Amino acid sequence: MAPDLTTDVLVIGAGPSGSMAAKWAAKAGARVLMIEKRQEIGSPVRCGEGMSKDWLADVGIKPGRWINVEVEGARIYSPSEKVFEINEKHAGNEVGYVVERDEFDKQLAIDAANEGVEIRLKTAATGILKENGSVVGAKVKQFGTTFDVRAKVTIAADGFESQVGRWAGLPTNIALRDMDTCLQYRMTNVDCDVRYCDFYLGKVAPGGYVWIFPKAEGLANVGIGVQVSQIKGMAEARSYLDRWIDHHPAYAKGKKIDMVGGGVSIAPPMKQTVLDGFMVLGDAARMIDPLTGGGIANGCIAGKICGTVAAEAVHSGDASKKVLDKYEKGWRVRLEEKLYRNWLAKEKLTTLSDETFDKIVDALLGVKLEKLNVHNILKAVHEKYPEVTKEFEAFL
Amino acid sequence: MPSKKSLHIESSGQLCIYCGACVGICPLNCIYLDETRITFDEKICTRCEICVRACPVGAIEIG
Ligand SMILES: Cc1cc2nc3c(=O)[nH]c(=O)nc-3n(C[C@H](O)[C@H](O)[C@H](O)COP(=O)(O)OP(=O)(O)OC[C@H]3O[C@@H](n4cnc5c(N)ncnc54)[C@H](O)[C@@H]3O)c2cc1C
Ligand code: SF4
Ligand code: SF4
């Protein structure tokens, strides 16, 4: 049996959220161990690889070779394929990059290692250690050997499939309507436009959308998310995606070189993310934006706060919930309002008919929007199709 | 007690792409994914079929 270990901060999961938390905790002087159950950080990729860029500098991420292309904007396709373009003018810096996700994740782990974080691969948390009601580390298994890691602060950054939070006693369960099941092909020999990320709405992807994120000329990630509550049978995500591709010659002629899947939460913000000695972070804390399905940015933003607070708790010798609540407050200030607002918007959008989607996009085409937000969109739609906005009065 | 239906996860790689969607949605937290090995706890599973719907490629069957 391997000897047990002790550390100040134990981070479970070396995705972007975990690496961020580990890095910022180590930077503030804590001893940090990050464990990852896979054999390779960042791989296999489970991501569309699109992200905004305005938040990167804030959390200390420098642009690197993980960037494939910088896009100029996004195009939203209504069911009858009217196109509404969102560009830097009204989205501010929200538009961004298509990235090489495995490179990105590795770079974040390198940044963490450079601050002194110890990293162990093929090391999975298999249970939580609790003493007098506080989390004091985790049971882990590395190369088939089980041992305990004792830590002053334990951070669960174990992604969508998170079990650590539930083991610790936080209800991270999600409702069927709060999850999208996703499938994506990377396709070559397609006619994509490297200037745009494209989104197709409506019954082509019930409760979700089809996305085209270009990685280079002729090469794109073509994926779909479908709300689980709108699924009745087996393999529906794949059927919807294959059908969509069959109907679009620019993609039907392409060839698949890669296939990834996964779950995306489209849930309201969790009520509690902290226990004595314990914090949950990123996808594991359901921090994905419920409207866009993007989770990299939110995980990293919360990760920095999480790591900083973990180090403070270590230095003060008090990792009680009361101290760690600073993380809970911190991420809520940054993210909660938007998460909640976008969850409400998602709840509405997932019920709309194709006809209504068409009207919304049609109304937007006729006006000049200064800034793109839910309020401005609804105002524009209200002027042309007042009957459509009736259901949305709560937002106006 | 009526006997439970059987649940089968095709995890040899013919269908399953090890994406973890079923793991995250299972309300009883009883599916485990370890790189390319997927298992579930017979005894805890209630055959609610949620994972069947959540699997993007149809690798889970309940019969
Ligand atoms: C198909 C798909 C497309 C997506 N597209 C986008 C997109 O275009 N843009 C975007 O911003 N977001 C996208 N997302 C969401 C994005 O991938 C996540 O929000 C992001 O990965 C969250 O990072 P994380 O660090 O919280 O979790 P993850 O990246 O999932 O990292 C969690 C890590 O923990 C490890 N782990 C799990 N359990 C254990 C354990 N018990 N012990 C040790 N380690 C463990 C895992 O192996 C993993 O490496 C997409 C998701 C999917 C499924
Ligand atoms: S049938 Fe229900 S309980 Fe059983 S593994 Fe699937 S989701 Fe979990
Ligand atoms: S959801 Fe399906 S493909 Fe994904 S891990 Fe589970 S069984 Fe495999």
Side-chain angles (χ1 to χ4, degrees):
Chain A
M1 228 180 87
D4 295 344
L5 289 176
T6 51
T7 181
D8 289 341
V9 179
L10 170 65
V11 178
I12 300 167
S17 311
S19 283
M20 262 294 132
K23 170 183 153 175
W24 285 94
K27 217 178 162 74
R31 263 192 322 148
V32 184
L33 169 64
M34 177 162 71
I35 62 171
E36 168 55 54
K37 74 174 173 183
R38 299 174 176 180
Q39 65 194 26
E40 181 181 344
I41 288 174
S43 175
V45 171
R46 281 183 200 153
C47 190
E49 307 185 297
M51 66 186 198
S52 55
K53 60 186 181 199
D54 58 334
W55 54 277
L56 288 163
D58 230 27
V59 298
I61 301 175
K62 290 194 193 73
R65 59 175 186 171
W66 43 268
I67 299 171
N68 286 138
V69 296
E70 184 168 358
V71 293
E72 286 170 24
R75 292 185 300 200
I76 313 288
Y77 288 75
S78 77
S80 68
E81 305 214 346
K82 292 198 172 85
V83 193
F84 176 65
E85 188 185 318
I86 301 168
N87 53 39
E88 214 147 326
K89 241 183 276 142
H90 31 58
N93 271 329
E94 290 255 354
V95 296
Y97 300 130
V98 179
V99 306
E100 207 69 35
R101 209 15 233 285
D102 44 344
E103 286 278 337
F104 177 78
D105 285 20
K106 284 191 184 78
Q107 185 58 54
L108 264 48
I110 291 169
D111 292 349
N114 288 344
E115 294 294 342
V117 172
E118 191 192 333
I119 302 172
R120 293 203 182 195
L121 302 178
K122 278 277 192 204
T123 309
T126 58
I128 275 290
L129 303 176
K130 266 196 175 184
E131 260 167 30
N132 308 320
S134 290
V135 174
V136 293
K139 212 163 234 350
V140 313
K141 198 169 175 185
Q142 180 180 28
F143 299 122
T145 314
T146 304
F147 53 95
D148 291 349
V149 177
R150 298 186 62 89
K152 293 171 185 145
V153 180
T154 303
I155 297 171
D158 51 334
F160 174 79
E161 53 186 273
S162 178
Q163 297 186 309
V164 179
R166 290 189 266 190
W167 293 335
L170 286 173
T172 62
N173 285 6
I174 32 184
L176 297 193
R177 69 172 205 281
D178 286 334
M179 172 182 166
D180 268 8
T181 175
C182 304
L183 192 71
Q184 169 186 282
Y185 305 121
R186 187 172 298 177
M187 298 184 77
T188 184
N189 298 334
V190 294
D191 291 336
C192 58
D193 189 330
V194 290
R195 294 171 303 168
Y196 298 100
C197 284
D198 290 340
F199 300 84
Y200 291 78
L201 304 178
K203 289 287 168 283
V204 290
Y209 56 80
V210 168
W211 69 80
I212 313 284
F213 294 170
K215 290 180 70 74
E217 289 293 344
L219 182 70
N221 289 335
V222 181
I224 194 168
V226 183
Q227 194 178 22
V228 178
S229 55
Q230 304 208 34
I231 286 179
K232 287 171 196 76
M234 286 169 66
E236 288 193 13
R238 192 179 61 207
S239 317
Y240 277 111
L241 181 57
D242 289 346
R243 204 173 311 145
W244 187 90
I245 292 171
D246 282 345
H247 285 100
H248 290 80
Y251 298 94
K253 71 188 180 104
K255 296 176 179 67
K256 299 165 191 152
I257 58 165
D258 184 13
M259 175 173 173
V260 305
V264 164
S265 64
I266 47 172
M270 261 174 72
K271 298 234 158 37
Q272 188 187 343
T273 53
V274 164
L275 295 168
D276 288 321
F278 185 77
M279 296 185 270
V280 58
L281 166 67
D283 276 20
R286 314 307 181 205
M287 287 177 177
I288 292 184
D289 186 313
L291 197 57
T292 64
I296 305 169
N298 288 353
C300 289
I301 291 166
K304 179 179 172 183
I305 302 169
C306 184
T308 312
V309 171
E312 275 174 35
V314 167
H315 293 316
S316 70
D318 178 1
S320 66
K321 180 172 175 302
K322 222 173 107 214
V323 172
L324 300 185
D325 260 340
K326 208 169 158 188
Y327 159 66
E328 179 103 47
K329 289 209 183 73
W331 77 255
R332 285 188 198 283
V333 168
R334 280 297 304 273
L335 307 172
E336 186 173 38
E337 197 199 320
K338 190 170 176 199
L339 283 176
Y340 191 69
R341 194 163 19 91
N342 284 358
W343 175 73
L344 283 177
K346 172 227 85 177
E347 288 281 279
K348 262 281 164 255
L349 286 175
T350 51
T351 65
L352 296 185
S353 65
D354 277 4
E355 207 186 323
T356 308
F357 270 125
D358 275 323
K359 282 184 179 164
I360 292 176
V361 172
D362 183 59
L364 292 178
L365 289 176
V367 293
K368 266 207 156 58
L369 283 182
E370 284 292 318
K371 174 135 181 56
L372 200 68
N373 55 37
V374 174
H375 183 84
N376 285 351
I377 291 174
L378 288 177
K379 235 174 65 189
V381 178
H382 188 73
E383 270 157 34
K384 196 156 177 193
Y385 301 107
E387 76 281 7
V388 172
T389 46
K390 254 202 210 100
E391 300 174 51
F392 287 91
E393 258 148 24
F395 291 91
L396 274 168
Chain B
M1 220 173 78
S3 66
K4 278 185 180 177
K5 293 188 214 166
S6 71
L7 178 139
H8 177 68
I9 305 182
E10 194 301 306
S11 58
S12 67
Q14 285 190 47
L15 288 172
C16 177
I17 53 172
Y18 314 110
C19 72
C22 56
V23 181
I25 194 76
C26 172
L28 292 163
N29 210 11
C30 74
I31 310 180
Y32 309 92
L33 171 64
D34 192 353
E35 298 253 358
T36 56
R37 209 172 75 91
I38 190 148
T39 51
F40 79 103
D41 194 324
E42 249 329 305
K43 289 199 283 297
I44 300 174
C45 167
T46 59
R47 316 301 195 258
C48 69
E49 309 201 11
I50 287 173
C51 56
V52 177
R53 290 156 74 188
C55 175
V57 294
I60 311 179
E61 224 172 344
I62 290 191

